[in-house]
Amino acid sequence: MHERRVVDVAVTHARSVRRQPQAEFVFALRGRTITSVRRHGKFLFAELDGTDALVAHLRMSGQLRINAAADELLKHTHVVITLDNGEELRFVDPRTFGEMFVDKLDDDRPAALRSLGPDAMDSRLSAAGLHARLTAGRRVSTLKAALLDQRALAGVGNIYADEALFASSLHPKRLAASLQLDEARVLRSQLRRILKAAITARGTSFKDEGYVDAYGQLGGYSRRHKVYGRDGQPCPRCATPIEKSVIAQRGTHFCPTCQSIRDVLETPR
DNA sequence: CGATCTACCTGATGGC
DNA sequence: TGCCATCAGGTAGATC
């Protein structure tokens, strides 16, 4: 893969570039060469000549796509970055929760991402390290809330939090501070396994549209969900109906039988 | 300080 | 069929 130079930038929806003045964004990009493309947690970033980075977060409905210039513009295309081979990097985002910005690189990541915890797939994060991050300073928060806290661990969202907790036989409402080291060991390996498989399957797409890769391909991981979106259906392990309730302000799916309680804030249900 | 709540937004879905 | 209300998701910022 060749390095690509940015030859032009067009922002057609101001909200998609809201962290900085639009003109600053365009000026910081035009003429720069993309030297690598990386990820930290849910943020994607392209290094620009090794000093700045073009950062993107897709939130729920965003897509980053590579298109030929002649390809039809999808509805909700908010940013178009023209590359020196004539192709375009397009940011498409119906709900406009996603964003792009240019930021200074600070060591291994853009400065704005400094407050994020280590990436959940980072092999240097040990079980003891994960244990410390999920328990440290937490007085009353649940395991589910801790897993979703991007300052503790970056990259785990609602779907994969539920899947990892199920695979680890941990109740989402467990007090985070009650997590034992041996449980953190299991959680670490299940998180890594699930995220790896989800990435291989190009993630989770619902229905006929939504989450796609840079070439418009849908993700196939939802077929592998064991609990997410399966409330009322039998647990694949013990056949108890999967429950859904709101935990940490998020729809949360779990098996009340397989995911042991031991130590919860309140009795579920 | 940690924990919790709200705004942001639109397409899909469910009820009538 | 159509209309309307509700829901889903991640993060920043406000508030408790």
Side-chain angles (χ1 to χ4, degrees):
Chain A
M1 191 70 153
H2 248 239
E3 288 184 355
R4 286 283 158 239
R5 196 164 44 86
V6 172
V7 301
D8 202 9
V9 182
V11 178
T12 49
H13 191 95
R15 184 170 149 76
S16 298
V17 180
R18 54 187 180 272
R19 285 207 196 201
Q20 67 200 137
Q22 243 180 71
E24 184 184 306
F25 174 79
V26 172
F27 183 77
L29 268 177
R30 199 175 275 146
R32 305 296 294 278
T33 298
I34 296 172
T35 50
S36 75
V37 177
R38 301 195 281 145
R39 179 187 69 78
H40 188 98
K42 303 171 192 172
F43 288 84
L44 304 166
F45 60 97
E47 273 188 48
L48 304 170
D49 307 305
T51 59
D52 291 352
L54 166 64
V55 189
H57 195 307
L58 305 179
R59 295 297 211 281
M60 274 71 64
S61 62
Q63 307 176 4
L64 271 180
R65 306 178 68 138
I66 293 287
N67 284 95
D71 291 348
E72 198 183 346
L73 270 195
L74 283 181
K75 194 178 176 186
H76 305 299
T77 298
H78 302 323
V79 182
V80 176
I81 296 172
T82 305
L83 305 171
D84 62 354
N85 64 348
E87 289 186 327
E88 294 177 345
L89 174 65
R90 299 180 181 174
F91 182 67
V92 182
D93 186 15
R95 291 187 203 175
T96 72
F97 275 27
E99 61 168 331
M100 296 186 103
F101 57 97
V102 174
D103 194 14
K104 280 266 166 293
L105 259 185
D106 173 15
D107 192 22
D108 66 330
R109 66 182 94 161
L113 313 192
R114 206 68 263 171
S115 57
L116 295 177
D119 186 88
M121 299 275 291
D122 190 335
S123 59
R124 294 166 299 184
L125 179 67
S126 65
L130 177 66
H131 180 258
R133 293 198 152 263
L134 294 180
T135 57
R138 293 184 203 278
R139 306 180 60 82
V140 298
S141 69
T142 59
L143 206 40
K144 169 86 182 232
L147 267 181
L148 292 178
D149 182 352
Q150 303 296 300
R151 295 165 309 173
L153 184 69
V156 181
N158 200 39
I159 296 170
Y160 301 112
D162 284 4
E163 292 298 315
L165 288 170
F166 172 77
S168 307
S169 301
L170 291 166
H171 198 291
K173 224 171 188 177
R174 270 274 296 276
L175 207 52
S178 75
L179 189 71
Q180 300 299 301
L181 183 56
D182 62 317
E183 293 174 322
R185 217 169 265 130
V186 174
L187 183 55
R188 174 179 183 274
S189 77
Q190 292 303 325
L191 267 174
R192 294 174 59 84
R193 178 184 67 78
I194 287 166
L195 291 174
K196 207 175 293 178
I199 288 169
T200 301
R202 300 182 315 281
T204 296
S205 305
F206 296 106
K207 300 285 173 287
D208 293 333
E209 51 184 341
Y211 189 75
V212 294
D213 70 10
Y215 303 95
Q217 273 248 62
L218 291 171
Y221 194 72
S222 64
R223 284 182 283 113
R224 313 255 284 272
H225 291 174
K226 303 275 197 288
V227 289
Y228 187 87
R230 299 190 72 253
D231 37 311
Q233 296 175 231
C235 166
R237 198 187 293 150
C238 77
T240 304
I242 298 300
E243 280 185 20
K244 179 181 181 185
S245 63
V246 175
I247 301 174
Q249 288 84 242
R250 291 281 167 252
T252 301
H253 312 70
F254 61 99
C255 171
T257 303
C258 294
Q259 293 171 261
S260 68
I261 293 165
R262 290 213 315 240
D263 170 21
V264 292
L265 277 177
E266 331 155 29
T267 5
R269 179 171 37 153

